[in-house]
Amino acid sequence: MIKEETTLNSLHEKLNSLPNYVSYLIYFFVPIVLTYISLYISKFLGNSNISKGSIIEVENANNAFLPSYLGYFFVALSVNNSETLIFVFAILFVFTFLSQTLYFNPLFLIFGYHFYNISTNNKAKLFVITKNEINKVDDIEFTQLKRINNFTFIDKIK
């Protein structure tokens, strides 16, 4: 909508007095609000835990996925019409959703979350989203994880 310069004041005559930057601010805050809502409803997911001593390796995953999301951003800027944009992002959404591997939302970074790939002593590789910074493998324990899928969890306490 920003690329096409679609603003709220161009959509309805009652909004003519709004400056363009108000539209752009709303476009910026809508994904942030939706991310906040998704974090809120995550408390209704199933419970799980990872006990102390069961984690053998932790790898920071904060930067691993940002190039992919920047790629989506640049694709969005290069598409000439909205129908093509919707089609491309629908395909990307379907592939991402059906892969059921990771749920990396870069906007979680704004809310203070960190992303970690964790290997357990039973050879499971898990993706954990948490507000805690993990420095030592020996001291890690997650008692109130919420299960997003079999390999992805969000830690709901700090």
Coordinates of all heavy atoms in Angstrom, one line a residue, residues 2 22-23 56 77-79 81 85 112 118-119 126 139-140 148 150-151:
I2 N 2.0 1.2 0.7 CA 2.9 2.3 0.7 C 3.5 2.5 -0.7 O 3.6 3.6 -1.2 CB 4.0 2.1 1.7 CG1 3.4 2.2 3.1 CG2 5.1 3.2 1.6 CD1 4.4 1.9 4.2
V22 N -0.2 9.7 8.5 CA -1.1 8.9 9.4 C -1.4 7.5 8.8 O -1.3 6.5 9.5 CB -2.4 9.7 9.7 CG1 -3.4 8.9 10.4 CG2 -2.1 11.0 10.4
S23 N -1.6 7.5 7.5 CA -1.8 6.2 6.9 C -0.6 5.3 7.0 O -0.7 4.1 7.3 CB -2.1 6.4 5.4 OG -3.3 7.1 5.2
I56 N 21.9 -30.1 25.5 CA 23.3 -30.3 25.3 C 23.9 -29.2 24.4 O 25.1 -28.9 24.5 CB 23.6 -31.7 24.7 CG1 22.9 -31.9 23.4 CG2 23.3 -32.8 25.7 CD1 23.3 -33.1 22.6
L77 N 8.4 -4.9 -2.9 CA 8.7 -3.6 -3.6 C 8.8 -3.7 -5.1 O 8.6 -2.7 -5.8 CB 10.0 -3.0 -3.0 CG 9.9 -2.5 -1.6 CD1 11.3 -2.0 -1.1 CD2 8.9 -1.4 -1.4
S78 N 9.2 -4.8 -5.6 CA 9.4 -4.9 -7.0 C 8.1 -5.4 -7.8 O 8.1 -5.3 -9.0 CB 10.5 -5.9 -7.3 OG 10.2 -7.2 -6.9
V79 N 7.1 -5.8 -7.2 CA 5.9 -6.3 -7.8 C 5.1 -5.1 -8.3 O 4.9 -4.1 -7.5 CB 5.1 -7.2 -6.9 CG1 3.7 -7.6 -7.5 CG2 5.9 -8.5 -6.6
N81 N 1.8 -4.9 -9.5 CA 0.4 -4.8 -9.2 C 0.0 -5.6 -8.0 O 0.7 -6.6 -7.6 CB -0.5 -5.1 -10.4 CG -0.3 -6.5 -10.9 OD1 -0.4 -7.4 -10.1 ND2 -0.1 -6.7 -12.2
L85 N 1.2 -9.4 -6.2 CA 1.7 -9.4 -4.8 C 0.9 -10.4 -4.0 O 1.5 -11.2 -3.2 CB 1.6 -8.0 -4.3 CG 2.2 -7.8 -2.8 CD1 3.7 -8.0 -2.8 CD2 1.8 -6.5 -2.3
G112 N 11.0 -8.1 22.5 CA 12.1 -8.6 23.4 C 12.3 -10.1 23.4 O 13.0 -10.6 24.2
I118 N 17.8 -25.5 19.9 CA 18.3 -26.2 21.0 C 18.3 -27.7 20.7 O 17.4 -28.2 20.1 CB 17.3 -26.0 22.2 CG1 17.4 -24.5 22.7 CG2 17.6 -26.9 23.4 CD1 16.5 -24.1 23.8
S119 N 19.4 -28.3 21.0 CA 19.6 -29.8 20.9 C 19.5 -30.4 22.3 O 20.2 -30.0 23.2 CB 20.9 -30.1 20.2 OG 21.0 -29.6 19.0
L126 N 15.1 -28.6 18.7 CA 13.9 -27.8 19.0 C 14.2 -26.3 18.7 O 15.4 -25.8 18.8 CB 13.5 -27.9 20.5 CG 13.3 -29.4 20.9 CD1 13.1 -29.4 22.4 CD2 12.2 -30.0 20.2
D139 N 22.6 -24.3 32.9 CA 21.6 -23.7 33.8 C 20.2 -23.6 33.1 O 19.3 -23.0 33.7 CB 22.0 -22.3 34.2 CG 23.3 -22.3 35.0 OD1 23.6 -23.4 35.6 OD2 24.0 -21.3 35.0
I140 N 20.0 -24.1 31.9 CA 18.8 -23.8 31.2 C 17.7 -24.8 31.6 O 17.9 -26.0 31.7 CB 19.0 -24.0 29.7 CG1 20.1 -23.0 29.2 CG2 17.7 -23.7 28.9 CD1 20.5 -23.3 27.8
I148 N 3.9 -24.8 20.0 CA 3.4 -24.3 18.8 C 3.2 -25.5 17.8 O 2.2 -25.6 17.2 CB 4.3 -23.2 18.2 CG1 4.3 -22.0 19.1 CG2 3.8 -22.8 16.8 CD1 5.3 -20.9 18.7
N150 N 5.4 -29.7 17.1 CA 6.3 -30.7 17.8 C 7.7 -30.2 18.0 O 8.4 -30.8 18.8 CB 6.3 -32.0 17.1 CG 4.9 -32.7 17.2 OD1 4.2 -32.5 18.2 ND2 4.6 -33.5 16.3
F151 N 8.2 -29.2 17.3 CA 9.6 -28.8 17.3 C 9.7 -27.3 17.6 O 10.8 -26.8 17.7 CB 10.3 -29.1 16.0 CG 10.2 -30.6 15.7 CD1 9.4 -31.1 14.8 CD2 11.1 -31.5 16.4 CE1 9.3 -32.4 14.5 CE2 11.0 -32.8 16.1 CZ 10.1 -33.3 15.2

